[in-house]
């Protein structure tokens, strides 16, 4: 492309205004993050070195990233990584981008696992594992937990294996590329089943930000007409896969708590409860195979 070398300060201003023209939210920060990534430096260094020139080669690499972002590709796909539960995770196009909301599910799962009156190793099934964040961060935080992470997407399971390795828990995270409904035909029991399924109502997909609607896998988002298709199909299959005292935890859309608890109750689960996220919206449903005192 042969751009003229430019100083960091002016380059950031150009990139920011280009992103603003394309309607990118948080344009300044996006421009800064992509420049840190391109130069391999920290945010602080960008400012300390604001009058340094960026050479032509790195300028080209930077503008390629800026153009991808202007096309509304998620920033995490461009940077190739994100943080979840303060752990580093690789992120790749084709696999659902981790959301901070899902940390609520991991925190709840950790709390429940630590409180279970079981004097044996804990086993966790992470259904629809995507980039692997739930199972990998649980394995990282609960040292006596072993995890089976499954997803129907081979891109997702390859990324989960990579992330398990990156976070030093690959010895305790078994990754399986399989359809959840086929996998659940096989006998296996777990202390906990955790799952962030697709739960967006089909009719709402068109109203999602371009980043999500044009770049993320719909398979991870589309929950059917009322958003509950996956829960409806999978919940009746779970009871027999839980050890006595076992627990199931789902991420949910903020209006779905009562419906998901009702489905769990019909399938024999008890003590269903909803946990809100940091903005006060219902985000996680927890239910048990039998009462804690029973
Ligand atoms: N919380 C996600 C979003 O709003 C949806 C996640 C899902 O369907 N599992 O994009």
């Amino acid at each position: 492309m042969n751009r003229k070398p430019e100083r960091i300060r002016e380059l950031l201003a150009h990139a920011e205004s280009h992103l603003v023209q394309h309607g990118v939210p948080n344009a300044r920060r996006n421009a800064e993050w992509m420049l840190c990534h391109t130069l391999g430096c920290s945010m602080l260094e960008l400012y300390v070195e604001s009058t340094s020139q960026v050479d032509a080669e790195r300028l080209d690499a930077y503008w390629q990233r800026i153009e991808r972002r202007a096309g509304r590709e998620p920033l995490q796909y461009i940077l190739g990584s994100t943080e979840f539960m303060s752990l580093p995770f690789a992120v790749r196009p084709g696999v659902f981008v981790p959301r901070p909301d899902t940390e609520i599910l991991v925190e709840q799962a950790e709390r429940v696992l630590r409180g279970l009156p079981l004097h044996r190793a804990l086993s966790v099934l992470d259904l629809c594992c995507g980039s692997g964040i739930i199972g990998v961060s649980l394995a990282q935080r609960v040292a006596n937990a072993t995890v089976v992470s499954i997803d129907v997407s081979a891109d997702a399971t390859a990324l989960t294996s990579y992330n398990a390795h990156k976070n030093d828990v690959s010895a305790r995270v078994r990754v399986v590329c399989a359809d959840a409904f086929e996998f659940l035909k096989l006998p296996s029991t777990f202390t906990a089943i955790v799952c962030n399924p697709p739960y967006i109502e089909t009719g709402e997909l068109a109203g999602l930000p371009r980043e999500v609607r044009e770049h993320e896998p719909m398979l991870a988002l589309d929950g059917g007409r009322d958003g509950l298709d996956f829960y409806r199909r999978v919940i009746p299959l779970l009871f027999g896969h839980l050890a006595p005292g076992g627990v199931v935890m789902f991420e949910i859309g903020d209006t779905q708590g009562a419906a998901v608890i009702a489905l769990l109750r019909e399938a024999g689960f008890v003590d269903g409860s909803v946990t809100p996220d940091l903005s006060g919206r219902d985000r996680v449903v927890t239910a048990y195979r039998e009462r804690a005192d029973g």
Side-chain angles (χ1 to χ4, degrees), residues 96 99 196-200 220-221 251:
F96 186 65
R99 311 290 206 256
N196 176 14
Y199 59 70
I200 306 285
L221 290 157
E251 183 168 316

Side-chain angles (χ1 to χ4, degrees), residues 52 99 146 155 212 248 275 284:
S52 301
R99 311 290 206 256
T146 55
D155 287 343
V212 182
V248 57
T275 311
V284 172

Side-chain angles (χ1 to χ4, degrees), residues 157-184:
T157 49
L159 189 54
T160 294
S161 297
Y162 182 87
N163 280 326
H165 201 262
K166 191 178 175 74
N167 285 289
D168 296 324
V169 292
S170 55
R172 286 185 292 116
V173 178
R174 192 157 69 83
V175 185
V176 182
C177 183
D179 181 273
F181 306 103
E182 292 302 315
F183 178 86
L184 292 168

Side-chain angles (χ1 to χ4, degrees), residues 239-255:
F239 202 86
H241 290 279
L242 281 168
V247 60
V248 57
M249 275 163 276
F250 280 107
E251 183 168 316
I252 54 157
D254 58 358
T255 59

